[in-house]
Every structure is written in structure tokens, then in C-alpha cells.
Amino acid sequence: MKYADLVAAYERLDATTKRTELRDVLAELVRSSTIGELPAVLFLSQGQLRPEYEGVELGVADSLARRAVAEATGVEAPEVLVAQQRSGDLGLTVEELKLRNARSASTPALSVAEVYEKLRAVADARGAGSQEVKVQALVELLARSEPVEAKYLVRFVLGQLRLGVREMTILDALAVAFGDGTKESRRRIEDAFNVSSDLGLVAQTISKGGLDALASIHLEVGRPIRPMLAERSPDLADVLKRMEGAAALEMKYDGLRVQAHIATDGSVRLFSRRLEEIGDQFPELRPALAAAVQHRPAIVEGECVAVDSDTDEIRPFQEISRRRGRKYDLERMQSEIPVSIFLFDVLLDGTTETATLPFPDRRRSLERLIVPGERVRLADQQLVHSVEEAQAYFDRCIAAGGEGVMAKSLAPESAYRAGARGFWWIKYKREYTHGLADSVDGVVVGAFYGKGRRAGRYGALLMAVYDPDQDQFETFCKVGSGFDDATLQALPARLTPFELDSEDPKVRTSLTADRWMRPGLVLEIRGAELTLSPTHPAALGKLRVGFGLALRFPRFTGRFRDDKGPTDATTAQELVRLYQSQVKQASPEEPSA
Ligand code: ATP
């Protein structure tokens, strides 16, 4: 495929935010790609080079891209900078500059394969002299490209492609291109993605062998599985009713979810809830896990929490969060904030794929697989058959430093459901016992300048939930409480990468922010109650025509959910369920903003 053909599709993608239109353009692209080209076409359209979990980054800063543009167009770098400042988009700038002096007719047109290979070379260049290698590769690409191609190349390298192509839309497109149009075929494609987290692999497999070939995609050590997620219940009686009278209750540890892959040779890779590789942040867990598992290879899941080395008590989330994302002082932090992982599931046990087994069988397999020690332990668990037993266990978990309990279904259908949220797992937390059931993970979509003591800084943030059906972000509150001075001080730096000049097309709100933000940063918000709102469009019309949902007295808990991307935030559908589970529902006569 010529790169120009891909770019022509980008122009069409750029012109719409409708999920069905995006899907149809992508389906056409997929149909006109060869099997070999498919991964490149799909990854490039998402603004990446490889599946997210591989963490492949181009490492091209703004200044480096500007240098490449200057060299490729023969315009002095300061002039490029001025033009970039005027347009606010180096992509538009390079397009304009290239329009001034057309590409010579003798230069061969770029192919998708060439562009992809060159960009991989840019990403792979490391160490001394790598900046020069990156610049030269970009210059070569830009020099050979048409103006519109150069625009998208520059946006890609700066991480500003933003065509609105999400994984779920690509799965829709694959279903249109290769499926039989049924929900069942869409589900099979998504299942294959959930166990492999690799859209390139899924696309190539289905394109080569049709839907049936997807059965060949299995769990593989080193390739993370999309995590199984839990639903909520308003009380323990409801939990037991949904689980038909009996359930395995486990302590709900308040830490970081970790998926551990232990290879046959004993090497260990750790993945976060977002499937980022985080092994380097917790180096002590690697040898501990390699020693604890009795059969290799293995894939196990657990919650990593800080533990007091003197008392063995579980420490609050704030402590382990100090180790997340850390690149320096690793050794000091290991002794200052020791961690343990509490394992709660096993997906691969030696050569047996346990993910397909019911939960009780998986737990037995986990107990046989693991020899617990100080760093690697098993999640505490108890089988319960009555609300009284469940309540007593819940109270014990809270006393032991847990956040609540996770109830797990014992039914024969309780297989591990990668990437799915369902009632096979139900979370029941302490805060459900008073006020609003659970906090909300909201996405920042805008900010308001502060007044008084906060003049010159941001005073409040406009928060949204995610609606996966519409692929849009719908606001539910403005939050200004709960920020301490240090957080307020650090906020602008955290928000800068997301700042936009105008409202993101995927945001729905009736408010006008002082500064718009691209949905990206996720914050945990707590509030007094959810009310029907004529102002906020979260879950608009789902409960009452013309009303959305708003959170009253919202407060930032102090917890940045860096382990969640914008589409992992609380969904509009979850907000509706939270509203419905409130003991006292607000009267629609008194809607609040
Ligand atoms: P979600 O993961 O459901 O989107 P979240 O990340 O906000 O929500 P919670 O609502 O706190 O997390 O509940 C689910 C999380 O609880 C799991 O993703 C996991 O990290 C954690 N967890 C703690 N203990 C357990 C356990 N015993 N079994 C399963 N998950 C557990």
C-alpha cells in the first residue's frame, strides 16, 4: 500500500468523530491491506508502532522534529519555530512549507512498509549519536513525502495524530471486514484481542485463516492479557443473591494490580492494570516470584501492596504509590517501602491454560503452584454461605487493612473473562457502607482558573465519565476540593501535555472551560451523592429525558489513577448503576448542577 493511500484514509478519519464512519473507513483500509501490511496500517493509525504493552516509543521531542522539518524543507530552524507558533501544529507547518516547494517528480512515492520500517529505526536508535540517527531518518522520510503526508508524519512522531481510532473501533472494523456481521463474530474477535492484547496479531490471523483461525491465539508468556474486571453491589445480601447463595470472598487489597509472567528460564515480566511493563519499579518481586512458582511457565495475577516489615501489617495505598513510576532511588525505596504481592488468580500453570477453568479450580491450582513467602503470598480467602458469614469476613478484612472484599463466583461458568466487567467478580468496599457507593474515576476534560488564594493557578477541573457506546466523554462535575497545596502547585505540569486550544470533539458538556484538555488524565473523585442534572450530560436521558447525572460535593481523593487510561475511567453506564444503588435517590425537582 502506498503511504498516500493511508493518508487519504486519515483525511477521512480526521473529518469525522462518528464511530460508525471511523469503522467503515478502517474496514476499507483493512480490506485493501496485504496480510504483511496489516499490523503497520493498524498501529500507525492508532498513533503507535507496536501493541501498547511493548512500550515502544519514538523518543522524538518537539525540537528534534523541528530540526528534521528545517533540514527537509531547507528552511532555517528559527523560521520553522515562528511558523509553528503561528499554526500551533508542526504538522500544518511542514505541510505549508512543503507546498511552497513541490517534491521533484523523480522521487519515488513512499510505501506504508517503508514508512513503518524507518519509524521503527527511529524508535530503536539509542545511546550516543542516536539523536542524529533519528533526525536523519525523519529528514529522509519528510524529504520524500508529499505535503499532506508530511503533515501526518510529523503529527505521528510528536504523538499528535489523534484520529480517534481506538482499539474497540478497530475490532468493529475487523468484524465488518472479515466477520459475518453477527454479534458472535464480533465477540470472537474481541476475545482473541483480550487474551493477546495485540491487534496486529488478531488482524493477521483473521485475514489469513478467517474467524476459525482465531482459536489458534492462546495465552503466551510475555504477552499480557487484558484484565478481568468486577461489578459492584450495594450490599452483601445482593452479592450473595447474585452468586446463588455461596461465594468465595477475598480480602480486597488496596494497592496496584500486577500480572506476572514467569518464563521457563525463570525470567519475570510484570504488567500493570494498563498492561505497561512495571518490573523495573519492583525489582525484588522478580526473583521472589521465580522462586515461588513450582511450574514454569506461569502467568499469575495479584495485588501488590506496601507491607510493614516489622509488624507485617498492610500499609495504605499512598505508600505503594510512591514506588510507582519511579526510575531513581530504587534501592532506597525497596528498603523504605517494602512490598508484597498477594496473588488471587492463575491463568497459566506450566503448560495448562487455567484461564478457562472455573474459579474454584483456578484457586486450587494457584495453591498448588505457589510456595508462599515474605514477598509472594496468597490472597486471603473464605467461602461464605450467608450474609452473616460474609459480614463477619468483611469486618475482619477492614480491620486487617483491606479496602473491602472481592466476591468471586463459584459457578461452573466462572472462567477468567479477559477484558470483561461482569458479576462473576463483585467488589464491595468500605465506603459503600456510608454515603455514595464507591468513588468515581473521572477524566479531566477542562480546567478553570482559580480565584482568591488560587489566582494564577487552576482552581477547579471539569470531570467526565466515558461512554464506550458513543466513544465520548460526558461531564458529571467540576471538582475544586481535595487538592492540597503541593498538588495544586504540580497540577499545571501534569496537565500541560493535555492542553488544547478548543474543546476535544469527543467531549460532551454544556460548560465552557477556561482551558480545554484532551481526555487523558484520570483522577479518583468522591462525592456525597449523584443527582439528576440539567447541566451535566453524563448518561443523558438514561434515567430521565433531558437530565444527566451530576456528583454533588465532589472531592479529589488525592489519588491520580495513572494506572488507568481515559477509556478505563468510570463509564456512564456504571454511573447509572451507582445512582440506582444509592439508598436515597435525589428528587428530580431539585436537580443540582
Ligand atoms: P476496576 O479495576 O474495577 O476498573 P478500580 O481499578 O478502580 O476498578 P477497584 O474498584 O478498587 O479498582 O476494584 C478492582 C480492583 O481491586 C482490581 O482491579 C484489583 O486491582 C484489586 N483487588 C484487590 N484485591 C483483589 C482480589 N482479592 N481479587 C481481585 N482483585 C483485587
Side-chain angles (χ1 to χ4, degrees):
M1 184 188 287
K2 289 204 198 90
Y3 186 57
D5 296 334
L6 184 60
V7 162
Y10 285 178
E11 293 274 85
R12 290 168 62 200
L13 294 171
D14 227 356
T16 182
T17 57
K18 285 212 191 87
R19 188 161 163 179
T20 47
E21 281 179 31
L22 294 169
R23 177 199 67 194
D24 292 343
V25 175
L26 287 167
E28 265 178 55
L29 259 182
V30 160
R31 281 200 202 96
S32 48
S33 305
T34 63
I35 292 178
E37 283 164 349
L38 265 174
V41 166
L42 293 179
F43 289 133
L44 287 175
S45 306
Q46 282 183 286
Q48 56 197 60
L49 287 172
R50 291 289 303 148
E52 231 168 280
Y53 73 83
E54 289 189 14
V56 174
E57 285 188 13
L58 279 166
V60 175
D62 207 55
S63 53
L64 205 102
R66 228 173 10 247
R67 250 183 71 198
V69 169
E71 269 190 51
T73 56
V75 176
E76 294 295 321
E79 201 187 320
V80 175
L81 177 62
V82 172
Q84 181 190 4
Q85 282 165 342
R86 205 175 38 235
S87 70
D89 172 1
L90 190 60
L92 283 179
T93 299
V94 72
E95 186 180 27
E96 279 166 23
L97 294 175
K98 291 217 44 135
L99 278 168
R100 279 199 224 152
N101 36 10
R103 183 171 70 96
S104 86
S106 60
T107 328
L110 285 169
S111 70
V112 168
E114 278 174 295
V115 169
Y116 185 73
E117 254 168 54
K118 270 265 162 344
L119 291 173
R120 287 288 318 243
V122 171
D124 290 343
R126 272 191 198 87
S130 63
Q131 301 291 303
E132 211 38 53
V133 173
K134 286 178 198 276
V135 172
Q136 285 323 313
L138 291 178
V139 170
E140 229 176 281
L141 280 177
L142 291 173
R144 278 184 56 196
S145 57
E146 294 290 343
V148 63
E149 294 174 327
K151 172 174 82 177
Y152 285 105
L153 271 171
V154 164
R155 285 186 181 166
F156 180 92
V157 297
L158 290 179
Q160 294 168 354
L161 196 59
R162 291 186 205 134
L163 298 171
V165 176
R166 294 190 197 283
E167 285 155 349
M168 291 303 137
T169 321
I170 292 184
L171 294 177
D172 291 344
L174 291 176
V176 168
F178 301 114
D180 53 13
T182 60
K183 276 196 171 156
E184 171 63 12
S185 65
R186 170 67 174 70
R187 193 191 55 73
R188 283 168 69 185
I189 297 169
E190 185 166 343
D191 282 352
F193 173 57
N194 283 335
V195 296
S196 65
S197 309
D198 185 343
L199 278 172
L201 173 75
V202 173
Q204 279 189 317
T205 308
I206 192 171
S207 151
K208 222 184 279 174
L211 277 172
D212 289 340
L214 293 175
S216 68
I217 298 183
H218 291 285
L219 296 188
E220 208 169 87
V221 165
R223 207 170 59 190
I225 297 125
R226 308 214 325 134
M228 176 167 177
L229 302 171
E231 280 287 355
R232 302 178 177 84
S233 264
D235 53 56
L236 287 167
D238 184 69
V239 171
L240 273 172
K241 200 166 105 206
R242 287 188 184 274
M243 300 216 161
E244 296 177 358
L249 290 199
E250 291 182 357
M251 168 115 136
K252 187 171 188 315
Y253 299 90
D254 193 10
L256 297 173
R257 186 166 183 163
V258 170
Q259 197 180 104
H261 289 232
I262 301 109
T264 314
D265 66 3
S267 60
V268 175
R269 292 173 74 178
L270 306 179
F271 296 98
S272 73
R273 186 189 181 290
R274 282 180 88 167
L275 312 185
E276 297 152 319
E277 196 148 3
I278 52 167
D280 290 345
Q281 296 160 35
F282 301 102
E284 71 269 45
L285 289 183
R286 287 190 176 131
L289 279 158
V293 298
Q294 300 307 294
H295 318 132
R296 293 177 191 157
I299 303 178
V300 290
E301 247 197 328
E303 190 85 350
C304 183
V305 290
V307 173
D308 188 309
S309 43
D310 297 324
T311 62
D312 219 26
E313 273 171 355
I314 288 170
R315 305 292 305 153
F317 173 79
Q318 282 68 17
E319 295 205 5
I320 189 158
S321 73
R322 289 180 55 212
R323 289 198 52 183
R324 182 164 160 75
R326 188 171 277 272
K327 295 202 175 95
Y328 310 102
D329 273 351
L330 288 171
E331 260 175 44
R332 182 167 65 81
M333 292 315 270
Q334 274 182 54
S335 59
E336 241 175 61
I337 308 178
V339 298
S340 293
I341 183 166
F342 289 85
L343 297 176
F344 54 72
D345 223 315
V346 55
L347 310 176
L348 184 70
D349 178 350
T351 48
T352 313
E353 220 174 90
T354 46
T356 50
L357 300 176
F359 178 68
D361 295 350
R362 299 207 302 282
R363 174 73 190 198
R364 269 193 294 279
S365 165
L366 183 66
E367 286 170 7
R368 279 195 302 266
L369 175 68
I370 299 296
V371 176
E374 194 187 356
R375 298 271 83 88
V376 180
R377 314 181 195 202
L378 289 174
D380 194 72
Q381 189 191 79
Q382 187 182 323
L383 294 184
V384 300
H385 300 88
S386 69
V387 177
E388 292 70 31
E389 276 179 333
Q391 185 64 50
Y393 183 70
F394 174 81
D395 293 341
R396 275 216 309 283
C397 287
I398 297 295
E403 211 192 351
V405 289
M406 287 292 280
K408 309 231 165 137
S409 165
L410 306 173
E413 311 80 48
S414 59
Y416 189 92
R417 306 201 176 221
R421 191 183 293 285
F423 282 100
W424 307 105
W425 284 10
I426 304 178
K427 51 192 180 187
Y428 180 71
K429 298 195 218 174
R430 181 172 35 185
E431 58 261 35
Y432 297 3
T433 52
H434 37 81
L436 177 74
D438 210 359
S439 49
V440 178
D441 291 328
V443 187
V444 181
V445 297
F448 300 88
Y449 297 127
K451 300 189 187 82
R453 230 167 48 83
R454 292 191 185 171
R457 293 198 256 179
Y458 287 130
L461 302 177
L462 184 58
M463 305 300 301
V465 288
Y466 179 59
D467 181 344
D469 294 339
Q470 311 290 332
D471 189 22
Q472 63 190 26
F473 297 87
E474 304 165 350
T475 62
F476 68 98
C477 73
K478 243 169 95 170
V479 63
S481 311
F483 297 90
D484 59 24
D485 272 354
T487 312
L488 275 180
Q489 197 89 42
L491 209 49
R494 272 207 174 248
L495 288 172
T496 305
F498 304 104
E499 284 176 359
L500 294 175
D501 290 330
S502 56
E503 189 177 341
D504 189 283
K506 290 199 181 288
V507 169
R508 298 287 168 273
T509 188
S510 60
L511 302 183
T512 305
D514 293 331
R515 199 80 167 102
W516 293 108
M517 302 284 165
R518 177 169 55 82
L521 189 65
V522 180
L523 265 55
E524 189 180 75
I525 309 289
R526 199 156 281 166
E529 64 174 343
L530 284 165
T531 59
L532 293 168
S533 162
T535 310
H536 285 292
L540 184 69
K542 292 213 166 74
L543 289 154
R544 186 170 297 257
V545 178
F547 285 87
L549 282 173
L551 184 64
R552 285 187 60 205
F553 305 126
R555 209 182 157 73
F556 176 42
T557 63
R559 190 159 173 172
F560 288 97
R561 293 298 311 251
D562 293 329
D563 59 335
K564 286 195 169 186
T567 56
D568 300 317
T570 300
T571 60
Q573 290 74 0
E574 283 181 88
L575 211 61
V576 168
R577 286 199 290 276
L578 272 174
Y579 174 83
Q580 287 164 336
S581 69
Q582 281 176 174
V583 185
K584 172 186 154 294
Q585 296 197 349
S587 134
E589 274 75 51
E590 305 173 297
S592 84

